[in-house]
Amino acid sequence: MSNLNKALLIGRLTNDPEMRYTPSGTAVTNFSIATNRWSTGPDGERKEFTDYHNIVAYPIGKRNLAETVAQYTRKGALVYIEGRIQTRSGEGQDGQKRRVTEIIANEVQFLEPRCPAGGGTGVAPRPPSTAPDALPA
């Protein structure tokens, strides 16, 4: 039997993405998105719940996904994320064990066009699609 580790999310960025470089010079962009879901609470009323997801984007092959995300998205932008779920463990500065679960993105699609000046979410211009078959070689 095969295993599958795949996450598909549509949500809005909770903050501007943060790009940094590893010591070897690889770009890494971290950002978080919020997704909403509806459920019936214990009182029988339908309630909206928000889940937050940490996303990490690296360069993939010739696509520089990390730089594209950092350049073309801003807080409030609606995005589609496809990737895998990863959990890391470590020890914090206070000596406490910590676990972080994040989505390692292999595709990010920008779902909104650029907003007019002075309004909207401030989403930057839409770049070419980040789908593997849509980028030049």
Side-chain angles (χ1 to χ4, degrees):
M1 176 182 270
S2 296
N3 293 312
L4 178 65
N5 180 350
K6 190 169 196 167
L8 305 172
L9 300 166
I10 295 176
R12 292 195 180 274
L13 271 74
T14 60
N15 287 306
D16 289 346
E18 296 179 12
M19 187 172 70
R20 63 180 172 78
Y21 291 90
T22 64
S24 64
T26 302
V28 179
T29 298
N30 295 77
F31 58 102
S32 178
I33 67 169
T35 57
N36 297 329
R37 60 187 167 84
W38 289 87
S39 183
T40 304
D43 58 1
E45 283 190 48
R46 281 186 46 87
K47 295 183 180 182
E48 184 176 20
F49 296 90
T50 302
D51 295 308
Y52 298 92
H53 313 275
N54 296 319
I55 315 294
V56 182
Y58 295 97
I60 298 174
K62 293 186 179 187
R63 297 184 303 143
N64 199 338
L65 187 59
E67 289 181 356
T68 301
V69 168
Q71 181 178 359
Y72 291 105
T73 60
R74 296 288 175 264
K75 179 181 179 179
L78 185 65
V79 294
Y80 164 82
I81 307 291
E82 186 174 319
R84 65 182 169 82
I85 301 168
Q86 175 178 289
T87 302
R88 295 183 290 121
S89 298
E91 195 171 290
Q93 292 178 345
D94 59 0
Q96 294 293 316
K97 289 189 176 186
R98 305 262 194 257
R99 290 176 52 128
V100 176
T101 300
E102 53 201 7
I103 308 299
I104 307 301
N106 60 24
E107 184 172 338
V108 177
Q109 292 181 10
F110 309 104
L111 300 179
E112 295 178 312
R114 180 180 175 179
C115 294
T121 62
V123 177
R126 178 177 276 195
S129 171
T130 60
D133 56 350
L135 292 175

